[in-house]
Amino acid sequence: MSSIILEARDIRYRYPRGMEAICGISFHIRRKEKIALVGPNGAGKSTLLTMFNGMIRPDSGMMLFDNLPIQYDTASLRMLRKRVGFVLQNPDRQIIAPTVYQDVAFGPINLGYPEKEVKEAVTKALRHVGLDGFERRPPHQLSGGEKKRVAIAGVLAMDPDVLVFDEPTSGLDPSGSEDIMELLDELNHEGKTIIISTHDVELVYPWADRAILMLGGKILHEDIPEVAFGNPESVRTAHLSLPILLELHRELQKRGFLLPGKKPRTVLDMMHCLETLFENSRSHTRQGIITVCNVDMDNQEYLSEWLSMHTGICIGAMGTRAKLSAENSRIHLDFTYGVIDKCILKALLGENCLILTAESMVKRVYQRVDAYGEESGVHIPVHRLESEPGVPDGKNGGVP
Ligand code: ADP
């Protein structure tokens, strides 16, 4: 179990001339967790988030970072804000400089980095969010999604341990929202603790490690999403709706269908439930193969050649770098979100798939396919692109 990075001990807060916004809250967040604060408008989510980097100080109780009480003097807050990055809901309020470069460089310059390190940090952060080449662009000319990425790059440039996002997908279209959630996943996979606020249940249900349901400045319930959202009473009390997969699972159970104990988080989980019901439906289908291409390392020329020999294959790209690489190589993508599960679903239908991804996420493909194999008994072969065709890596997609 990872160590605790943030903790609240019975905190309360009342805005000057306002009502009590946080009414006695305690919780802890572990390193590398993906946490979603979920609740209706006015529940206190934003107020709570702003306490994580000391923007608001509780009237009573205590906030701790890395097991130490947060100190509110200027020097301590400066250090805290290097380690806990905050991305505001509205990027227009966060972006202040006339060019993308200057904006992203603002944090590192403020922290006193030498010029060379500032440049490196900005280049790395922009690359991370898929905005290479945007350095000289004026932020006000960018799309909503691009502005959001600039704001995220500004925070990433300080290389924080924790990233806090107030309503990260607000104002974005569905595909922009998926891109941002995917980026958050990627950052989490690289070791960052991610905390978001939202009222979008469908968005966080498959994403979060833990959901904290809030209402009226209090925590109603906190648990893994299938439990936190699994009680229709607390979901209704929090003015939220049941995730559609949980609702479907409940309706099937009510009708006496015997489903596996684990509640479905994804469409793939749901398919597993249904296939357990109709045991024979897939017994005649040979599983397809999932091939993984690491866009950071695998030979891109070989990829083009390979694709010309595998026309009609389903292709998914995970993460910003992989999507950019696909765009540059004019590769048509069938999946850009929830890629591993979608490829497993295809493989279950006997179709072969290719996943383009960056080095940091390759392992994740193997882990997810393996976990699915353990759970369902259906082992889908996974190859690395450079492997000999027909020879899977490891046991059945064993982690390389
Ligand atoms: P959420 O993020 O869940 O929508 P907020 O944290 O923004 O909720 O708000 C919690 C409560 O605090 C609400 O009742 C809201 O009206 C109040 N509030 C938020 N900001 C201020 C403020 N600057 N001054 C006074 N009251 C505020």
Side-chain angles (χ1 to χ4, degrees):
M1 186 72 52
S2 319
S3 58
I4 291 172
I5 190 152
L6 270 164
E7 187 179 349
R9 289 191 191 155
D10 197 21
I11 50 169
R12 291 180 176 271
Y13 181 73
R14 181 187 296 274
Y15 282 98
R17 291 184 298 282
M19 54 184 283
E20 195 170 37
I22 299 295
C23 317
I25 282 182
S26 300
F27 63 85
H28 58 255
I29 293 172
R30 286 184 288 272
R31 253 171 231 286
K32 300 185 191 175
E33 265 194 308
K34 289 190 284 184
I35 298 284
L37 299 184
V38 196
N41 291 335
K45 305 181 297 293
S46 307
T47 309
L48 187 56
L49 289 184
T50 49
M51 291 181 171
F52 294 160
N53 76 347
M55 277 193 275
I56 285 184
R57 179 179 191 164
D59 296 329
S60 66
M62 190 188 280
M63 283 297 305
L64 293 92
F65 176 74
D66 221 357
N67 298 311
L68 294 172
I70 291 179
Q71 304 294 324
Y72 294 87
D73 59 281
T74 311
S76 306
L77 285 178
R78 214 172 130 94
M79 282 321 292
L80 178 67
R81 286 172 194 166
K82 181 193 166 349
R83 299 190 63 191
V84 182
F86 198 104
V87 181
L88 298 174
Q89 178 174 350
N90 181 353
D92 288 326
R93 290 184 57 198
Q94 185 144 4
I95 298 171
I96 45 169
T99 68
V100 167
Y101 182 93
Q102 286 167 306
D103 197 80
V104 178
F106 186 80
I109 290 173
N110 249 355
L111 287 172
Y113 287 15
E115 200 182 322
K116 184 164 167 275
E117 278 178 38
V118 171
K119 194 158 187 285
E120 276 167 16
V122 175
T123 306
K124 193 170 160 209
L126 285 176
R127 181 155 192 256
H128 220 126
V129 300
L131 291 182
D132 276 327
F134 278 61
E135 288 80 352
R136 288 160 188 253
R137 300 273 297 270
H140 66 269
Q141 287 180 359
L142 304 179
S143 72
E146 287 164 347
K147 282 184 192 169
K148 193 85 180 180
R149 284 170 184 275
V150 173
I152 296 174
V155 170
L156 276 183
M158 291 182 280
D159 195 24
D161 303 302
V162 181
L163 285 152
V164 178
F165 294 83
D166 196 2
E167 302 274 356
T169 59
S170 94
L172 301 181
D173 58 26
S175 130
S177 300
E178 286 176 357
D179 284 350
I180 292 295
M181 294 312 284
E182 174 116 312
L183 176 60
L184 303 197
D185 245 4
E186 210 177 333
L187 293 169
N188 174 254
H189 205 71
E190 289 164 17
K192 311 277 186 209
T193 307
I194 312 278
I195 308 167
I196 70 168
S197 75
T198 185
H199 44 71
D200 189 335
V201 171
E202 295 297 345
L203 193 79
V204 294
Y205 178 64
W207 177 85
D209 293 327
R210 213 147 47 93
I212 301 181
L213 268 52
M214 286 186 69
L215 183 71
K218 295 195 174 110
I219 292 180
L220 279 182
H221 201 80
E222 61 168 296
D223 216 316
I224 52 171
E226 48 274 52
V227 177
F229 295 116
N231 178 346
E233 278 305 301
S234 20
V235 169
R236 240 191 317 273
T237 312
H239 306 282
L240 299 168
S241 52
L242 221 55
I244 192 85
L245 289 176
L246 274 186
E247 198 172 346
L248 184 57
H249 188 264
R250 273 172 64 79
E251 291 302 322
L252 287 167
Q253 271 184 328
K254 277 194 216 160
R255 282 158 183 75
F257 289 107
L258 284 175
L259 299 165
K262 189 170 166 272
K263 290 181 179 164
R265 285 274 294 275
T266 61
V267 172
L268 180 62
D269 294 342
M270 194 70 218
M271 281 313 295
H272 174 53
C273 287
L274 296 176
E275 290 196 346
T276 318
L277 286 179
F278 310 111
E279 202 52 44
N280 296 327
S281 61
R282 64 165 180 242
S283 57
H284 304 299
T285 313
R286 206 182 123 267
Q287 276 81 50
I289 294 168
I290 297 177
T291 303
V292 187
C293 169
N294 173 354
V295 292
D296 289 333
M297 279 166 64
D298 290 345
N299 184 333
Q300 299 304 299
E301 272 174 33
Y302 177 57
L303 172 63
S304 310
E305 193 187 321
W306 189 90
L307 282 172
S308 67
M309 293 184 297
H310 294 79
T311 48
I313 194 167
C314 292
I315 307 174
M318 273 166 69
T320 324
R321 284 208 292 287
K323 283 176 202 162
L324 271 179
S325 166
E327 198 179 311
N328 293 339
S329 308
R330 296 175 195 273
I331 296 172
H332 169 78
L333 296 175
D334 300 287
F335 311 127
T336 53
Y337 185 64
V339 170
I340 312 177
D341 278 17
K342 285 179 181 153
C343 287
I344 296 177
L345 283 165
K346 281 283 179 192
L348 291 172
L349 292 172
E351 294 183 38
N352 297 332
C353 303
L354 172 71
I355 298 181
L356 305 174
T357 190
E359 173 65 19
S360 61
M361 303 287 271
V362 169
K363 201 168 160 189
R364 170 109 178 254
V365 177
Y366 285 81
Q367 285 168 338
R368 177 70 181 127
V369 177
D370 264 357
Y372 179 77
E374 296 292 323
E375 202 173 289
S376 65
V378 182
H379 294 283
I380 294 162
V382 182
H383 300 301
R384 277 295 292 273
L385 182 71
E386 76 274 72
S387 334
E388 196 65 26
V391 183
D393 310 307
K395 95 177 135 142
N396 172 29
V399 178

